[in-house]
Amino acid sequence: MRDIVRFKGEQVRLPEKEVLGAQGVRSRASLPTRVRAAFDSACELFDELAAPVGVVEELTREEFPAVYEGEGNNPPVTPLPEIVTRSEGLALYAATLGEGVSRRIGELFDEQDPAVAYLLDAVASAAADLLSGCLAERFGTRLAERGVAPDHAKVLSYSPGYCGWHVSGQRRLFARLRPEEIGIHLNSSFLMTPLKSVSGVLVGGTGDTHHFRPDFPFCEACATHECRPRMASGVAEEGEESLGPNGATGGGARARRRRDRSRAYPSRDPSGSGACLDPE
Amino acid sequence: MGVVGEQFRTHQIFLPEVLLAARAMYAGLDLLKPLLLRDNIPMLGKVVIGTIRGDLHDIGKNLVGIMLQGAGFEVIDLGKDVPPARFVEAAIEQEAPVIGMSALLTTTMVGMKEVVDNLRARPCQSKIKTIVGGAPVSADFAREIGADDYAFDAASAVTHIKALLGVA
């Protein structure tokens, strides 16, 4: 199955509270008037310029290793291969907000309007993450329609550059998925353009599917540890066994929400508003 | 902007407010620059900044540029996807004592070492300092590649660059 899915900008724009929260702002009311105006301008620009589109292509558990091994730069032990063996549905994906938003951000800096530029970037970055979540939610619906654990299916996305999947893995992913068809390109540094693009694998299964102990050697360098709230979001319970880096079992992960401005590991909420279940 | 920067550092205001203040700064600089040039009043120093080769992320670099201008530095912004040699050439051409480099990918930050090595191979190397930043970059990485300093964010970049140059 290979699908190209288009959305409207407002379908992937996170609620204002979430975007502002990520900037350390508790409420719109606490913002100075001019900042509120700049934020509103950023949201208007986003709705006008964003052209969200994604491509999703299913693959089997047997096909995944050839993509995942990439250029051979992954650490020896990582969580994703075990997660995939427990999965009940897999799909590669890539999605973008399109070139318009990124271009306008650059123009705003050139026009010496850095506040709107920065806020548009914040809105767009949050939307790119939500776009992953929209595709995950849609894939979950597909799995449920096929009877894959319909009551408990949980689809999470995993991306090159995180959790031991080396960013150079983008090359094999691109070779298999061909997201150039929707205007996403990869440069020699494994950077996707347009910049507000995301890619990875959607993994569907029951809650246990996604559970692992986040104590791999590379976890120490992780800036966000977003795997923990992801695993805990209606998935594992305290004390549940999970796989550690040496195959040893241990206690369940404790839920902890952290917001990271750099968004090194995007927070995804496949069971969010549901607005993105109705793409264009 | 010094006051604004300090309020930002102490979490009294947040980044969009700093950037709104920057708009006022730009307007003020447009009026002041001709007068500064006429009266030969020097800026605090020159800083070459850019996003390293292969990388197109520039928000952080742009914020650093704004903060540096606000602090009284002259900023030579080379943009994004800048070849390592270009940083050094620009610093020599412009007689800039500091090179600031930004990277947001682990695959591109390695280019920062090329800049440092390029400088080391030149007689002028001791006169030009290097400072690095960006999400995957760290103080340890800066030490490993021989950079003179590392800054966590735009606000601290100003503090670190002032320290590198020995200015208040």
Side-chain angles (χ1 to χ4, degrees):
Chain A
M1 178 273 291
R2 178 183 173 85
D3 279 339
I4 290 177
V5 188
R6 297 183 188 277
F7 299 87
K8 291 193 175 83
E10 58 257 34
Q11 287 178 288
V12 298
R13 180 154 59 81
L14 265 186
E16 173 185 283
K17 188 179 167 185
E18 299 256 355
V19 179
L20 293 177
Q23 302 302 315
V25 179
R26 286 186 186 171
S27 72
R28 180 184 170 88
S30 67
L31 285 177
T33 307
R34 286 185 180 174
V35 177
R36 261 185 270 162
F39 183 74
D40 289 343
S41 294
C43 292
E44 283 170 17
L45 281 171
F46 179 85
D47 289 346
E48 178 191 324
L49 295 169
V53 58
V55 57
V56 179
E57 182 168 317
E58 284 193 72
L59 76 171
T60 65
R61 284 195 292 257
E62 292 72 30
E63 290 172 316
F64 181 70
V67 174
Y68 184 67
E69 72 181 20
E71 309 295 288
N73 295 321
N74 298 341
V77 184
T78 61
L80 193 51
E82 269 297 322
I83 290 170
V84 165
T85 59
R86 298 193 293 264
S87 69
E88 300 184 66
L90 282 181
L92 298 180
Y93 80 97
T96 183
L97 297 179
E99 185 57 47
V101 173
S102 297
R103 188 185 313 122
R104 189 68 189 122
I105 292 169
E107 289 168 353
L108 286 165
F109 273 112
D110 291 340
E111 292 164 12
Q112 297 186 340
D113 196 352
V116 177
Y118 175 78
L119 289 166
L120 178 54
D121 182 78
V123 170
S125 293
D129 295 348
L130 183 54
L131 189 48
S132 290
C134 288
L135 292 177
E137 191 167 7
R138 191 170 176 277
F139 185 54
T141 302
R142 288 283 179 98
L143 293 178
E145 286 167 354
R146 290 184 214 159
V148 174
D151 294 331
H152 305 291
K154 180 78 170 177
V155 177
L156 291 180
S157 54
Y158 299 83
S159 296
Y162 305 105
C163 288
W165 191 359
H166 196 270
V167 69
S168 57
Q170 292 278 36
R171 183 171 285 152
R172 287 266 183 109
L173 191 155
F174 265 63
R176 171 65 194 253
L177 185 62
R178 295 164 289 119
E180 293 86 354
E181 187 177 349
I182 58 167
I184 306 176
H185 301 274
L186 194 68
N187 77 0
S188 56
S189 301
F190 311 107
L191 173 69
M192 288 185 285
T193 53
L195 283 183
K196 300 303 178 191
S197 299
V198 290
S199 68
V201 62
L202 301 173
V203 180
T206 60
D208 293 359
T209 300
H210 300 284
H211 215 228
F212 66 94
R213 271 175 62 196
D215 54 7
F216 292 83
F218 46 80
C219 294
E220 199 175 332
C222 179
T224 64
H225 302 287
E226 285 211 27
C227 57
R228 294 170 189 175
R230 272 159 52 93
M231 283 192 278
S233 57
V235 179
E237 293 180 14
E238 289 288 338
E240 191 167 334
E241 288 190 348
S242 57
L243 187 69
N246 301 313
T249 57
R254 199 169 54 166
R256 179 161 54 129
R257 281 196 73 77
R258 284 179 63 175
R259 293 208 181 270
D260 172 42
R261 293 179 189 185
S262 69
R263 218 170 291 98
Y265 193 22
S267 64
R268 295 165 178 134
D269 181 13
S271 58
S273 65
C276 49
L277 277 179
D278 299 314
E280 285 187 330
Chain B
M1 286 303 286
V3 172
V4 170
E6 186 57 28
Q7 288 183 339
F8 176 62
R9 265 190 299 277
T10 54
H11 308 293
Q12 294 176 60
I13 61 175
F14 76 120
L15 196 49
E17 294 174 90
V18 175
L19 298 176
L20 281 176
R23 283 174 63 177
M25 175 194 77
Y26 286 129
L29 281 176
D30 283 345
L31 296 172
L32 284 173
K33 266 185 187 163
L35 300 175
L36 293 171
L37 282 170
R38 184 196 68 188
D39 295 344
N40 225 20
I41 296 172
M43 303 292 276
L44 208 53
K46 288 187 184 180
V47 182
V48 168
I49 63 171
T51 299
I52 199 74
R53 176 189 58 205
D55 206 324
L56 302 177
H57 296 98
D58 65 350
I59 302 284
K61 181 263 300 174
N62 291 343
L63 296 179
V64 168
I66 288 168
M67 297 286 202
L68 286 172
Q69 286 183 75
F73 287 95
E74 182 179 345
V75 175
I76 296 110
D77 188 343
L78 301 179
K80 34 194 185 182
D81 191 18
V82 180
R86 183 72 195 112
F87 282 98
V88 178
E89 285 162 11
I92 293 172
E93 282 162 13
Q94 299 286 337
E95 296 182 357
V98 178
I99 293 173
M101 296 171 272
S102 172
L104 240 80
L105 298 172
T106 53
T107 48
T108 58
M109 59 198 261
V110 295
M112 294 174 168
K113 185 175 189 308
E114 286 186 48
V115 176
V116 174
D117 291 345
N118 192 320
L119 269 178
R120 279 197 176 137
R122 295 170 184 265
C124 63
Q125 73 90 12
S126 61
K127 296 181 190 171
I128 301 176
K129 305 294 182 188
T130 52
I131 182 167
V132 296
V137 180
S138 65
D140 285 343
F141 174 76
R143 270 191 292 276
E144 271 172 38
I145 67 169
D148 292 288
D149 209 343
Y150 155 77
F152 173 72
D153 60 15
S156 64
V158 174
T159 308
H160 284 262
I161 287 170
K162 283 183 172 178
L164 282 175
L165 297 178
V167 299

